[in-house]
Amino acid sequence: MAENGAVLVNIEDTIATVTINRPEARNALNQDVFLGLQQAAQRLKESPEVTVAILTGAGEKAFSAGIDLKMVAGGGAGLFSQYRSGFDSLFAMKSIFTMYEDLAIPVIAAINGYCLGAAFELSLCCDMRLAADTAIFGLPEIQFGVIPDLGSTQRLPRIVPPGYAKELILTGRRIDAAEALRIGLVEHVYPLDQVKAEARKLAEEIAKLQPRIVQGAKRAASLWMNMPLDSGLRAETDICTGAGSGGSFGEQAREFLKKE
């Protein structure tokens, strides 16, 4: 699958790095980026050798500044002209982001600067978010007279306390990396020149583990978003049994004790 240049995919060992590559435009999301993200996610899905992915932006100024306003002003917000305008077109755009959430492998966001609007919503589809100390987060859509419409109204309250989520959604306010860490939006904050390296270290730590078990654990840990606790506990049992983690636990414990 050929890259379109706006999104780059680099696979090294078993770790893939997906880079939004429009640094001259603060990696703003235009049609090429959306289609590139779609192609990249499909490539990861079809690459069984990849066990972890990192999603980041080119350069040092931005993960992404969000939707390209020049594209919107020019009437190019509907990327899928073959679909009916309105629900179908918007949901098709949203589904590209969901592809990252639905990947079997863990996805780590390395947020290097501005992370606004649609880019913020994309980061919510990642399993973990690491931020540079220069990162700025915000959902400015409401200030443009529209509702954030690429998933944040549903995903953000599942990640941070609902009151914080509503505050960000309803005001369009920007917050810095320290505030993002305080409310639980990101897991770690690092100096700008270290955040991508730290994301790589985390990816390498995960990549050392058994991929089948890691993927089963991700699937189980994501159940809470879609079902009640009792159903989630039963589904977790099914996943763990199917992944074989129960049967190999004794053997792994014996190997661990030998090393102590």
Side-chain angles (χ1 to χ4, degrees):
M1 184 178 295
E3 295 173 356
N4 67 6
V7 175
L8 306 177
V9 180
N10 178 60
I11 299 175
E12 184 178 346
D13 298 323
T14 64
I15 299 171
T17 300
V18 178
T19 304
I20 303 171
N21 187 40
R22 295 187 71 214
E24 75 287 351
R26 292 186 177 179
N27 297 320
L29 307 181
N30 64 0
Q31 294 188 22
D32 287 341
V33 173
F34 271 97
L35 295 175
L37 286 170
Q38 183 181 48
Q39 292 169 357
Q42 188 65 30
R43 179 176 174 186
L44 296 183
K45 185 177 180 180
E46 296 172 357
S47 300
E49 73 277 11
V50 174
T51 59
V52 190
I54 299 168
L55 181 59
T56 192
E60 298 184 346
K61 293 183 179 180
F63 175 76
S64 168
I67 287 283
D68 190 327
L69 294 180
K70 293 181 179 178
M71 178 185 72
V72 175
L79 303 184
F80 296 91
S81 57
Q82 69 272 33
Y83 293 169
R84 287 182 294 271
S85 62
F87 181 92
D88 287 352
S89 180
L90 177 60
F91 199 79
M93 294 170 62
K94 190 176 303 189
S95 296
I96 293 173
F97 289 3
T98 303
M99 291 175 73
Y100 288 86
E101 187 173 58
D102 288 346
L103 284 172
I105 61 175
V107 181
I108 303 166
I111 300 167
N112 52 314
Y114 287 102
C115 183
L116 303 176
F120 189 143
E121 296 178 289
L122 173 61
S123 77
L124 299 178
C125 296
C126 298
D127 298 291
M128 292 153 278
R129 284 162 294 280
L130 279 55
D133 53 9
T134 57
I136 299 293
F137 299 85
L139 292 167
E141 285 87 344
I142 204 161
Q143 297 177 358
F144 289 89
V146 297
I147 298 170
D149 55 14
L150 291 178
S152 58
T153 66
Q154 301 307 301
R155 291 189 176 100
L156 189 56
R158 288 169 163 84
I159 294 172
V160 305
Y164 287 128
K166 290 180 181 178
E167 184 177 343
L168 290 172
I169 292 166
L170 299 179
T171 66
R173 181 181 302 152
R174 296 183 180 188
I175 61 173
D176 61 16
E179 180 71 1
L181 180 64
R182 187 181 74 82
I183 67 175
L185 177 59
V186 302
E187 281 66 56
H188 302 282
V189 174
Y190 299 104
L192 174 60
D193 62 354
Q194 297 177 25
V195 66
K196 292 183 182 181
E198 291 294 337
R200 177 77 189 188
K201 287 181 185 178
L202 178 57
E204 289 173 345
E205 183 178 353
I206 295 171
K208 292 177 183 177
L209 304 173
Q210 296 180 47
R212 184 166 54 91
I213 300 301
V214 169
Q215 291 167 27
K218 171 181 170 173
R219 193 160 66 251
S222 299
L223 291 172
W224 65 272
M225 293 189 294
N226 302 310
M227 59 180 62
L229 177 61
D230 58 342
S231 299
L233 291 173
R234 292 177 183 276
E236 177 189 67
T237 304
D238 289 339
I239 291 170
C240 293
T241 303
S245 58
S248 64
F249 190 28
E251 181 181 343
Q252 295 295 328
R254 287 189 290 273
E255 290 297 319
F256 179 81
L257 290 172
K258 289 178 183 179
K259 298 175 183 178
E260 289 293 295

